[in-house]
Amino acid sequence: MDTITEPESEHVVFVTEDGVPTGETGPKLASHHADTKLHLAFSCYVLRRSDQALLITQRALDKKVWPGVWTNSVCGHPAPHESLPDAVRRRARYEIGLPELEDLECVLPKYRYRTPPFNGIVENEFCPVFVAWVEGDPEPNPEEVGGWRWLSWPGYAQLLADDEANVSYWAKDQFEQLKDKKPFSALG
Protein backbone atom coordinates (compact mmCIF):
# COMPACT_ATOMS: atom_id res chain seq x y z
CA MET A 1 0.00 0.00 0.00
CA ASP A 2 1.21 3.49 -0.78
CA THR A 3 2.01 5.67 2.20
CA ILE A 4 -0.82 8.13 2.73
CA THR A 5 0.55 11.35 4.11
CA GLU A 6 -2.01 14.05 3.41
CA PRO A 7 -4.90 14.11 5.92
CA GLU A 8 -7.21 15.48 3.22
CA SER A 9 -6.74 12.31 1.16
CA GLU A 10 -7.23 9.86 4.03
CA HIS A 11 -10.51 8.06 4.58
CA VAL A 12 -11.89 6.35 7.68
CA VAL A 13 -13.67 3.01 7.58
CA PHE A 14 -17.09 2.99 9.23
CA VAL A 15 -17.83 -0.11 11.31
CA THR A 16 -20.54 -1.84 13.34
CA GLU A 17 -20.39 -2.01 17.15
CA ASP A 18 -18.39 -5.24 16.73
CA GLY A 19 -15.77 -3.58 14.50
CA VAL A 20 -17.02 -5.09 11.24
CA PRO A 21 -16.66 -2.71 8.26
CA THR A 22 -20.03 -1.56 6.90
CA GLY A 23 -18.63 -0.96 3.40
CA GLU A 24 -18.86 2.81 3.88
CA THR A 25 -15.92 5.18 4.19
CA GLY A 26 -15.63 8.92 4.70
CA PRO A 27 -12.98 11.63 4.45
CA LYS A 28 -10.97 11.60 7.68
CA LEU A 29 -11.18 15.28 8.57
CA ALA A 30 -14.80 15.78 7.48
CA SER A 31 -15.87 12.64 9.37
CA HIS A 32 -14.83 14.03 12.76
CA HIS A 33 -17.45 16.37 14.24
CA ALA A 34 -20.05 16.48 17.01
CA ASP A 35 -21.85 13.39 15.65
CA THR A 36 -18.90 11.30 14.49
CA LYS A 37 -19.98 7.87 13.22
CA LEU A 38 -18.32 4.79 14.65
CA HIS A 39 -15.15 4.09 12.66
CA LEU A 40 -12.05 1.91 12.79
CA ALA A 41 -8.89 3.23 14.42
CA PHE A 42 -5.90 1.99 16.44
CA SER A 43 -3.66 3.06 19.30
CA CYS A 44 -0.10 1.88 19.77
CA TYR A 45 2.17 2.04 22.82
CA VAL A 46 5.85 2.03 21.89
CA LEU A 47 8.30 0.78 24.52
CA ARG A 48 12.09 1.20 24.47
CA ARG A 49 13.89 -2.12 24.95
CA SER A 50 16.88 -0.73 26.85
CA ASP A 51 14.88 0.54 29.84
CA GLN A 52 11.24 -0.39 29.11
CA ALA A 53 10.26 3.29 28.97
CA LEU A 54 7.05 4.31 27.20
CA LEU A 55 7.07 6.88 24.41
CA ILE A 56 4.31 9.46 24.88
CA THR A 57 3.56 12.20 22.38
CA GLN A 58 1.83 15.54 22.41
CA ARG A 59 -0.49 16.11 19.48
CA ALA A 60 0.48 19.12 17.35
CA LEU A 61 -1.34 22.32 18.25
CA ASP A 62 -2.84 22.73 14.78
CA LYS A 63 -4.48 19.27 14.64
CA LYS A 64 -8.26 19.37 14.24
CA VAL A 65 -8.92 16.61 16.76
CA TRP A 66 -7.53 16.89 20.32
CA PRO A 67 -4.75 19.43 19.57
CA GLY A 68 -1.98 19.84 22.16
CA VAL A 69 -3.06 16.81 24.17
CA TRP A 70 -0.53 14.31 25.53
CA THR A 71 -1.31 10.72 24.64
CA ASN A 72 0.15 7.31 23.92
CA SER A 73 2.84 6.86 21.27
CA VAL A 74 0.86 6.84 18.02
CA CYS A 75 -2.78 6.65 16.95
CA GLY A 76 -4.46 6.59 13.59
CA HIS A 77 -6.93 5.09 11.17
CA PRO A 78 -6.39 2.25 8.71
CA ALA A 79 -7.12 3.06 5.09
CA PRO A 80 -9.83 1.05 3.34
CA HIS A 81 -8.53 -2.51 2.78
CA GLU A 82 -5.39 -1.88 4.89
CA SER A 83 -4.63 -4.27 7.73
CA LEU A 84 -4.35 -2.82 11.21
CA PRO A 85 -0.68 -3.88 11.65
CA ASP A 86 0.18 -2.23 8.31
CA ALA A 87 -1.66 0.93 9.40
CA VAL A 88 0.22 1.01 12.72
CA ARG A 89 3.56 0.70 10.92
CA ARG A 90 2.60 3.34 8.32
CA ARG A 91 1.55 5.87 10.96
CA ALA A 92 4.61 5.12 13.12
CA ARG A 93 6.83 5.96 10.13
CA TYR A 94 4.89 9.08 9.16
CA GLU A 95 3.88 10.47 12.55
CA ILE A 96 6.74 9.62 14.90
CA GLY A 97 9.55 8.73 12.49
CA LEU A 98 10.01 5.16 13.70
CA PRO A 99 10.39 2.97 10.61
CA GLU A 100 10.99 -0.28 12.52
CA LEU A 101 8.55 -1.52 15.14
CA GLU A 102 9.57 -4.82 16.71
CA ASP A 103 7.24 -7.46 18.12
CA LEU A 104 4.07 -5.56 17.21
CA GLU A 105 1.21 -7.19 19.10
CA CYS A 106 -2.48 -6.41 19.57
CA VAL A 107 -3.20 -6.40 23.32
CA LEU A 108 -6.78 -5.06 23.33
CA PRO A 109 -8.42 -6.33 20.14
CA LYS A 110 -11.95 -5.14 20.98
CA TYR A 111 -11.30 -1.77 22.61
CA ARG A 112 -14.05 0.73 21.81
CA TYR A 113 -14.67 4.23 23.13
CA ARG A 114 -16.63 7.42 22.60
CA THR A 115 -15.27 10.68 24.01
CA PRO A 116 -17.17 13.59 25.42
CA PRO A 117 -17.01 16.62 23.09
CA PHE A 118 -13.60 18.32 22.89
CA ASN A 119 -13.62 21.62 20.98
CA GLY A 120 -16.91 20.45 19.43
CA ILE A 121 -15.56 17.10 18.21
CA VAL A 122 -16.47 13.64 19.48
CA GLU A 123 -14.21 10.65 18.83
CA ASN A 124 -16.21 7.46 18.30
CA GLU A 125 -13.88 4.56 17.54
CA PHE A 126 -13.55 0.81 17.49
CA CYS A 127 -9.86 1.00 18.32
CA PRO A 128 -7.71 -2.11 18.79
CA VAL A 129 -4.69 -1.31 20.97
CA PHE A 130 -1.17 -2.45 20.08
CA VAL A 131 2.23 -2.55 21.76
CA ALA A 132 5.60 -2.53 19.99
CA TRP A 133 9.26 -2.25 20.92
CA VAL A 134 12.06 -0.05 19.54
CA GLU A 135 15.67 0.77 20.28
CA GLY A 136 16.12 4.37 19.13
CA ASP A 137 14.47 7.74 19.61
CA PRO A 138 11.65 8.96 17.39
CA GLU A 139 12.04 11.66 14.76
CA PRO A 140 8.49 13.08 14.88
CA ASN A 141 6.71 14.89 12.08
CA PRO A 142 6.06 18.41 13.46
CA GLU A 143 2.72 18.54 11.63
CA GLU A 144 1.58 15.64 13.82
CA VAL A 145 3.59 15.84 17.04
CA GLY A 146 4.21 18.91 19.20
CA GLY A 147 6.38 17.14 21.78
CA TRP A 148 7.50 13.75 23.00
CA ARG A 149 9.23 12.07 25.92
CA TRP A 150 10.05 8.70 27.40
CA LEU A 151 8.40 7.84 30.74
CA SER A 152 8.57 4.86 33.04
CA TRP A 153 5.24 3.02 33.32
CA PRO A 154 4.80 4.25 36.94
CA GLY A 155 5.61 7.78 35.69
CA TYR A 156 2.93 7.41 33.02
CA ALA A 157 0.44 6.28 35.67
CA GLN A 158 1.25 9.42 37.69
CA LEU A 159 0.76 11.63 34.63
CA LEU A 160 -2.64 10.08 33.94
CA ALA A 161 -3.69 10.59 37.57
CA ASP A 162 -2.77 14.30 37.48
CA ASP A 163 -6.01 16.26 37.02
CA GLU A 164 -3.99 19.23 35.74
CA ALA A 165 -2.24 17.24 32.99
CA ASN A 166 -3.59 17.70 29.47
CA VAL A 167 -3.96 13.99 28.62
CA SER A 168 -6.23 12.35 26.06
CA TYR A 169 -9.47 10.71 27.09
CA TRP A 170 -8.51 7.44 25.40
CA ALA A 171 -5.09 7.27 27.10
CA LYS A 172 -6.77 7.40 30.51
CA ASP A 173 -9.47 4.94 29.47
CA GLN A 174 -7.04 2.48 27.87
CA PHE A 175 -4.74 2.54 30.91
CA GLU A 176 -7.43 0.97 33.08
CA GLN A 177 -7.56 -2.01 30.71
CA LEU A 178 -3.81 -2.20 29.99
CA LYS A 179 -2.30 -1.94 33.47
CA ASP A 180 -2.95 -5.61 34.30
CA LYS A 181 -1.98 -7.00 30.86
CA LYS A 182 1.46 -8.09 29.73
CA PRO A 183 3.84 -6.49 28.99
CA PHE A 184 2.53 -3.51 31.01
CA SER A 185 1.87 -5.44 34.21
CA ALA A 186 5.58 -6.37 34.31
CA LEU A 187 6.90 -2.82 33.82
CA GLY A 188 8.42 -1.18 36.87
Side-chain angles (χ1 to χ4, degrees):
M1 153 149 295
D2 238 351
T3 300
I4 298 171
T5 57
E6 295 300 321
E8 295 79 21
S9 66
E10 287 188 70
H11 279 71
V12 296
V13 176
F14 298 118
V15 295
T16 66
E17 288 292 326
D18 297 326
V20 177
T22 64
E24 295 178 90
T25 64
K28 178 179 143 182
L29 292 179
S31 295
H32 288 83
H33 44 70
D35 296 311
T36 303
K37 286 175 61 172
L38 182 61
H39 59 278
L40 189 58
F42 67 82
S43 286
C44 185
Y45 290 73
V46 175
L47 300 169
R48 187 168 54 192
R49 279 213 194 272
S50 62
D51 59 2
Q52 300 182 326
L54 169 67
L55 174 65
I56 64 168
T57 58
Q58 181 185 39
R59 295 170 61 83
L61 293 175
D62 58 351
K63 289 189 69 76
K64 177 182 177 185
V65 180
W66 294 75
V69 174
W70 284 92
T71 195
N72 55 290
S73 311
V74 62
C75 301
H77 304 87
H81 310 293
E82 181 182 33
S83 75
L84 282 166
D86 286 348
V88 172
R89 287 184 177 94
R90 172 177 55 84
R91 287 305 294 183
R93 281 190 306 271
Y94 174 69
E95 191 170 314
I96 57 176
L98 289 173
E100 298 296 324
L101 297 179
E102 299 173 12
D103 300 324
L104 181 65
E105 175 187 3
C106 187
V107 290
L108 291 178
K110 298 188 182 297
Y111 178 72
R112 191 240 188 273
Y113 74 102
R114 180 182 172 93
T115 66
F118 185 88
N119 294 342
I121 295 176
V122 171
E123 271 292 5
N124 188 16
E125 296 183 336
F126 188 91
C127 182
V129 178
F130 291 79
V131 63
W133 297 84
V134 297
E135 291 295 341
D137 284 336
E139 295 180 18
N141 178 342
E143 292 177 12
E144 297 289 332
V145 177
W148 62 276
R149 60 185 165 169
W150 294 102
L151 282 180
S152 68
W153 189 249
Y156 183 61
Q158 287 179 328
L159 175 71
L160 296 177
D162 182 352
D163 291 335
E164 301 299 313
N166 189 17
V167 180
S168 74
Y169 174 93
W170 59 91
K172 291 179 180 182
D173 194 52
Q174 290 169 0
F175 179 78
E176 291 306 313
Q177 296 178 50
L178 291 173
K179 65 184 180 183
D180 297 325
K181 288 193 171 293
K182 289 185 179 181
F184 305 102
S185 61
L187 300 178

